[in-house]
Amino acid sequence: MKTKFIPIIIFIIGFYGCTTTKTSLQEISVEQTLMNLPTRITENNKAGDVLLSLNFSGFRQKNTFGNINGHTDVNENGFYEVEKISDTKYLEHAGVNTYKYTGNNFHINLPEFSIAGNIDLIASKYFCFFGGVSYNHINDEENWSKYFGIGFYNELPNFGYRIDFGLINYSSNYNINYVKVEDKIITGDMTRDVWFYEKQQSDNYWGTFLSFTYNTKRSDWFVNFFANYTVGIQVLYDIELPIDLSTDKYNFNLSTTVHNFSLGVYQKISESIRFSLGAKYLKYKIDNSKADNLNYFSQLDFIL
C-alpha cells in the first residue's frame, strides 16, 4: 500500500518545486485584411440572373498601430529593463520597471491592394445568394479571404436597397514577442528571472458581417449614387502557446468590431456592364486604441 503513494508524493514535490511564471504579450505584428467586401448594387434584378463582379481596392494607409493590454510594466523611459545573463535568460531588478506601458505594441499590416471576385445568384424578385474570394497583397506575400451569404433586396422606380448577411473566412500572419517572468514580489536588492520568446504563425479565422446598401437608379442621370454600411466581427489574433504547466497563460486573443462606411457613384456602360468608383472608411478598436483607415476602390459588374 505504501508504494502507491510514492509516485504521488514525487509528483507533488516536483510540481511545487517548479518555478511558476507569468506570461505577458509584449508586441505583436499582424498581416490581415479588414472586412473588405465588394459593393452590391440593386438595379433591375430578375430571377435567374447571374451577376459577376470584379473589385480592385487599396488602402491609403496600410500600417496601423495601437496599444493592447498585457505588456509588463516598464522603466521611466517606457522600456522593459532587464539584465542579460545568457542568450535565453535575463534578470529583472526590483524598483526598475514601475510604470504602466502606454506605447504602441500592436501593428497591423493591411493590403497594398486587393482583387476580389464576387458572384450573385438571383433566386427571386427579393433575395439572392452570393459568394466570393479576395486576393490581398501584403508585404509581398499572398493573403486570401473567402465569403458567402444571402441577400434580401427591394426595388422602387428610382432607388433600390439591399441587406446582406454573411460569413467570411480570412487568413492572418503573425509575429509575436512575449516573456515569462518569475512570479514573485521583489524589493530592495532582489531580482526575478525573465525569459524572452518569439513566435511566428499563420491561421485562418471565421467572421460574420451584416451589410446595408442603398443606391439610386435614375435612367435620366449621367451617374447614379450608392451608400453602404457594413458591420462585422473579426478576430485580430488567437494564438495558442506551447504547453507549460508552470505558467498562467496559454493563449493570446483579441477580436474587434469593424464598422465600414462607403460612398460612390456608378454608371451603366452597356446593358450588361456596370462600372463603380468609391471610397470606404473603416473604423475599429484595438483594445485601448481607436483606429481608422481609408480605402479606395473600383468595380466592374457583368450581368449575365
Side-chain angles (χ1 to χ4, degrees), residues 154-179:
N154 190 28
E155 293 191 55
L156 294 172
N158 295 324
F159 67 90
Y161 58 89
R162 171 170 170 162
I163 299 175
D164 293 298
F165 304 88
L167 296 175
I168 184 169
N169 179 269
Y170 51 93
S171 58
S172 192
N173 301 321
Y174 310 99
N175 188 78
I176 68 170
N177 292 284
Y178 65 100
V179 296

Side-chain angles (χ1 to χ4, degrees), residues 141-161:
E141 298 286 341
E142 291 185 358
N143 179 285
W144 294 88
S145 56
K146 303 172 286 293
Y147 57 89
F148 61 90
I150 185 170
F152 300 90
Y153 56 86
N154 190 28
E155 293 191 55
L156 294 172
N158 295 324
F159 67 90
Y161 58 89

Side-chain angles (χ1 to χ4, degrees), residues 13-23 89 180-184 191-195 197 244-248:
I13 294 173
F15 181 81
Y16 285 97
C18 292
T19 300
T20 304
T21 61
K22 287 190 173 182
T23 300
K89 186 177 179 181
K180 293 182 180 179
V181 182
E182 186 180 1
D183 186 16
K184 72 175 184 181
T191 62
R192 56 188 172 196
D193 295 336
V194 180
W195 294 266
Y197 300 88
D244 181 357
L245 298 179
S246 67
T247 196
D248 66 330

Side-chain angles (χ1 to χ4, degrees), residues 14 29 42 45 77 112 114 118 132 226 292 296:
S29 179
T42 300
N45 289 341
N77 296 316
E112 290 94 347
S114 298
N118 180 82
F226 65 85
D292 54 14
Y296 298 102

